[in-house]
Amino acid sequence: MAEVINMPRLSDTMEEGVVAKWLKKKGDKVEEGDILAEIETDKATMEFESFHEGTLLHIGIEEGETAPVDTLLAIIGEEGEDISDLIEGGSSDDKSDKKEKKSSEEKADDTSEEKEDSAEEKEEGDNGSGDNEIPEGVEVITMPRLSDTMEEGTVASWIKKEGDKVEEGDILAEIETDKATMEFESFYSGTLLKIGIQEGETAKVDSLLAIIGPEGTDVSGIATGDTGSKPSAKKEEKSEDKKEEKTSETSSEKSEDKKSSGRIFVSPLAKKMAEDKGINLSDVKGSGENGRIVKRDIENFKPSEKPAKAEAPADKKPAEVQAYMPAGEESFEEIKNSQMRKTIAKRLAESKFNAPHYYLTIEVDMANAMASRKQINDIPDVKVSFNDMVIKASAMALRKHPRVNSQWTGDTTKIAKHIHMGVAVAVEEGLVVPVLQFADQMSLTQIGGNVKSLAGKARDKKLQPKEMEGSTFTVSNLGMFGIVEFTSIINQPNSAILSVGTIVEKPVVRNGQIVVGNTMKLTLACDHRTVDGATGAAFLETLKTYLENPVTMLA
C-alpha cells in the first residue's frame, strides 16, 4: 500500500520548509534509510531520509518551492499503483481554499464593475450638457504634485498676473509644498486668462490653478474642477512653429542680456536636465523670457554649437564654477528571503519588542589572560582562544549567579540548574546558535574543541536540530572583526546575552603609573523581567574576576 510522506517538522520552531534539492526522482526505487531530499528549514538545510521502501510515485513539492509543515511532499508505493485518490486527498484543502478565494475575487470584480459603470453613468450625466467644454487653444493648469508626498500646495506668490503674456518656461508662481517653496514654470505659451488659486490660498493637488490661452478667450464656463485635456498633435505642432519663429528672432538679444547681467536664468526642470547630461549652462542660449534657459534649450543643445567665449574685462571677476552633480540610475536587487532569514527576523523582533532589554558594560584587563593563553597554547596539540576563556568564565559565573541563567514564562520564572551555553556563529544565510551542554563541567580545551566542531558543522549546514536547542545563556563575539563594543538582542527564552569586543592596546594605570595595557569590553544585555540591574552587575563583576585571574577558574 502506498505511503504518503508530508513536509516534516525538522526543528521545534519550523513552520514551513523549502525543498532545496531532490536526491531521488519520480520512478526511482527507494530503500528505507535512503536520502530523499535536502530540506531548508528555519535553522539549516538538512537531509531527509525515507522510512519506507518502494518506488517514488509522486513528488508533491518541486525543488525551490516552499510549503507549510504537513503538506504533501511525496508518495512511495508499489510500481504502477493507483495513487490518484491520495493525491486528490492531499490537495483537497488547497483546492477548497483556492475555490473560496476565486469566489471572493469574482464577487469583488462584480462589485468593482458595478461601481465603474455607476461612475461612468454619473460622469456622462455631469458632462453631457457640454457647458464646460474647453475652448480651442486653451490649456487648464492644475495644482502640480511637486513632491512624492505632496497632497496639497499653497500659492506663495504669483509671478505672472491675469492678462500677462506667458511663454513656455516662464515662471508662473512660487508654490509652497510639504517640503519646500518651489518655482512652477509654464509648459504652454499664451495669455494668463484666469487665476484659480489666489496668493496665500491652499488647495489640493489637481485643483484648478490657472488657465492659459489666446487673448480675449471666454473661459467663464470652465468649472474649477476641470483638469483640462492634452492639446491635439496639430495644435502642438502649430504652437511649436510659432515658438521656433519667435526664438530665432530674439535668442541673440536674450543671450546678450544674460551675459551682461552675469546671472544665468534657468527653469528648475532645465537645470536638472543640464545636470543629468553634464551640460554647462553658461554654454546654452536661452529662448525663454529674459534669455531664460528652458527645457527645449537643453533638449536641442549640441556641444558643437557652444558659443565662443569673449574675453572678460579685467575688472570683472570670472563666473563661479558650478559644483559637480553626479548622475546615475537608481536600482535595487531583490533577494528572496531564506527560511533561516525569515525566522531570524521573526524571533529577534519578538525578543526586542517583548523583553525589556537593558545593557551593562564592563572593561576587563586582559594582561593575565593573554599570558595564561600563551602558556596553554605552548603545550603541543592544544589551541585555546580568548572566546573559549570567555565561555568558560561565563559558565562559572552563572553557577554563582543562577538568576541570570533563567527564563520568563509569564506566571513563573524558571531558573535552570544546568548550564547550556549558546555560541552565536555567523553563516552565509544569517546566524545560528549551536549549544555547548553542561559547559561549566568542560575544560578550556574541551570547550575549544567542541566550539570548533559545532562552528564547522554550522558553516557546512550539517548541524542537527538537537545541537541548536536548549541554551540557557548566549555568548556573541565580534572581536575578530575589530569591534570594540556592541549590544546584542537576547536569544529567547534566555534572560541574557553577552557581547564580546576586541582586545585593545591602550594606556592604563597600574600602581599609580601609566603603562601600556590590553583591555576588552563586555556588554551584558538583560531581560529586566527576570534579571535586575544589581544582579546583572554582580554577574559581570564575577566574570571580570575570572578573566583577569584565569587561575581562579581552576579552583
Side-chain angles (χ1 to χ4, degrees):
M1 181 177 177
E3 297 289 346
V4 174
I5 301 172
N6 293 329
M7 174 66 76
R9 188 183 300 276
L10 297 175
S11 76
D12 55 341
T13 58
M14 177 177 172
E15 296 179 357
E16 59 183 10
V18 178
V19 177
K21 184 179 180 182
W22 278 102
L23 302 182
K24 295 287 186 180
K25 307 298 180 187
K26 186 176 178 181
D28 286 357
K29 293 291 184 183
V30 179
E31 296 293 331
E32 183 177 351
D34 285 354
I35 303 300
L36 287 178
E38 292 181 353
I39 296 178
E40 181 186 340
T41 74
D42 57 334
K43 293 182 176 178
T45 299
M46 306 175 64
E47 295 177 339
F48 176 59
E49 68 180 61
S50 172
F51 298 99
H52 309 286
E53 295 182 354
T55 300
L56 184 56
L57 303 176
H58 176 72
I59 289 177
I61 305 170
E62 298 297 334
E63 288 186 2
E65 290 185 354
T66 303
V69 169
D70 294 332
T71 303
L72 176 64
L73 177 66
I75 298 176
I76 293 177
E78 295 180 3
E79 189 172 358
E81 185 176 352
D82 182 15
I83 57 171
S84 56
D85 291 342
L86 294 176
I87 296 174
E88 290 175 3
S91 59
S92 61
D93 293 339
D94 294 339
K95 289 179 180 177
S96 175
D97 291 342
K98 287 179 181 177
K99 284 180 181 178
E100 291 178 6
K101 185 177 179 183
K102 185 175 181 181
S103 175
S104 63
E105 287 177 352
E106 286 174 353
K107 289 179 182 178
D109 289 342
D110 291 342
T111 305
S112 178
E113 287 175 5
E114 289 174 6
K115 288 182 179 179
E116 287 177 4
D117 292 342
S118 176
E120 287 175 3
E121 290 172 3
K122 185 178 179 182
E123 186 177 345
E124 288 172 3
D126 291 342
N127 297 336
S129 62
D131 292 339
N132 292 335
E133 289 184 1
I134 300 173
E136 185 177 353
V138 170
E139 300 293 346
V140 175
I141 301 171
T142 58
M143 175 65 76
R145 188 182 299 277
L146 298 175
S147 76
D148 54 346
T149 57
M150 176 178 171
E151 296 181 356
E152 60 183 15
T154 302
V155 176
S157 66
W158 278 100
I159 308 301
K160 296 287 186 179
K161 308 298 180 186
E162 284 191 8
D164 286 357
K165 294 289 184 184
V166 178
E167 293 293 330
E168 181 184 354
D170 286 356
I171 301 301
L172 288 178
E174 292 181 346
I175 296 177
E176 181 183 340
T177 73
D178 57 336
K179 293 182 177 179
T181 300
M182 305 172 67
E183 295 179 336
F184 176 59
E185 68 178 69
S186 172
F187 297 99
Y188 309 105
S189 298
T191 300
L192 182 56
L193 303 174
K194 181 176 180 178
I195 289 177
I197 305 171
Q198 300 300 320
E199 289 186 1
E201 290 184 354
T202 301
K204 297 285 186 183
V205 169
D206 293 332
S207 300
L208 187 143
L209 178 65
I211 300 176
I212 293 177
E215 187 175 1
T217 304
D218 181 13
V219 293
S220 58
I222 300 178
T224 56
D226 289 332
T227 58
S229 59
K230 293 183 179 179
S232 65
K234 186 181 285 186
K235 285 192 279 181
E236 285 183 352
E237 187 178 344
K238 185 176 179 182
S239 176
E240 198 63 37
D241 291 341
K242 290 181 180 178
K243 290 172 195 166
E244 290 296 332
E245 290 174 9
K246 185 164 184 179
T247 299
S248 61
E249 293 173 1
T250 61
S251 60
S252 59
E253 295 176 7
K254 291 175 180 177
S255 178
E256 289 301 320
D257 291 342
K258 180 182 72 172
K259 289 179 181 179
S260 62
S261 65
R263 177 184 171 188
I264 298 176
F265 294 94
V266 58
S267 70
L269 178 60
K271 184 177 182 181
K272 179 69 169 60
M273 290 175 63
E275 290 172 353
D276 293 343
K277 294 183 177 183
I279 297 174
N280 189 340
L281 291 172
S282 61
D283 297 336
V284 182
K285 288 183 179 180
S287 59
E289 184 181 17
N290 298 322
R292 188 182 195 83
I293 299 171
V294 294
K295 174 184 175 183
R296 66 167 177 270
D297 299 324
I298 302 300
E299 291 176 337
N300 299 330
F301 177 76
K302 296 178 182 178
S304 58
E305 297 175 356
K306 178 178 173 180
K309 291 184 179 179
E311 291 186 8
D315 59 340
K316 287 193 176 181
K317 294 181 180 179
E320 292 183 4
V321 178
Q322 291 190 349
Y324 170 71
M325 295 293 290
E329 182 180 351
E330 294 180 352
S331 62
F332 296 92
E333 178 187 3
E334 288 193 1
I335 300 173
K336 186 178 179 180
N337 290 326
S338 65
Q339 294 301 113
M340 181 185 293
R341 178 54 58 188
K342 290 178 183 177
T343 302
I344 289 172
K346 179 182 177 182
R347 295 193 63 193
L348 293 186
E350 288 175 351
S351 175
K352 189 68 174 176
F353 299 147
N354 293 334
H357 287 51
Y358 72 91
Y359 306 94
L360 302 171
T361 300
I362 198 167
E363 193 166 15
V364 180
D365 187 342
M366 294 296 288
N368 290 336
M370 293 174 72
S372 298
R373 176 175 175 266
K374 185 177 184 304
Q375 291 175 350
I376 294 172
N377 288 341
D378 284 341
I379 302 172
D381 302 324
V382 174
K383 185 71 173 178
V384 171
S385 69
F386 289 112
N387 196 53
D388 300 334
M389 300 177 79
V390 171
I391 293 171
K392 176 65 175 177
S394 299
M396 295 187 67
L398 287 172
R399 183 61 65 200
K400 291 192 173 183
H401 304 277
R403 191 81 187 182
V404 181
N405 198 45
S406 61
Q407 299 176 7
W408 173 267
T409 63
D411 293 331
T412 62
T413 297
K414 295 168 63 176
I415 299 176
K417 299 298 183 181
H418 57 280
I419 296 173
H420 290 352
M421 300 292 291
V423 182
V425 176
V427 294
E428 186 177 350
E429 294 84 2
L431 190 73
V432 294
V433 185
V435 179
L436 290 175
Q437 295 185 349
F438 307 106
D440 58 319
Q441 300 176 25
M442 294 183 183
S443 67
L444 285 171
T445 53
Q446 288 170 339
I447 288 174
N450 284 321
V451 168
K452 186 176 180 180
S453 174
L454 290 171
K457 284 184 178 181
R459 295 188 180 98
D460 294 336
K461 300 181 180 179
K462 299 297 183 183
L463 274 178
Q464 297 300 310
K466 62 182 180 180
E467 294 175 311
M468 296 181 282
E469 296 172 357
S471 68
T472 60
F473 184 86
T474 306
V475 173
S476 179
N477 191 339
L478 293 178
M480 66 286 293
F481 298 106
I483 303 301
V484 176
E485 180 182 359
F486 68 102
T487 59
S488 302
I489 297 175
I490 297 170
N491 180 32
Q492 288 193 329
N494 298 173
S495 287
I497 183 171
L498 185 70
S499 304
V500 184
T502 190
I503 296 175
V504 178
E505 189 175 59
K506 59 185 287 188
V508 297
V509 178
R510 286 202 188 103
N511 301 321
Q513 300 293 321
I514 297 177
V515 297
V516 176
N518 292 275
T519 65
M520 179 175 70
K521 287 188 177 181
L522 303 174
T523 299
L524 184 69
C526 301
D527 184 343
H528 218 317
R529 297 175 299 181
T530 51
V531 183
D532 293 328
T535 304
F539 169 84
L540 282 179
E541 188 177 29
T542 302
L543 177 60
K544 179 179 179 180
T545 300
Y546 282 136
L547 288 174
E548 290 187 341
N549 303 280
V551 69
T552 58
M553 288 191 280
L554 304 175

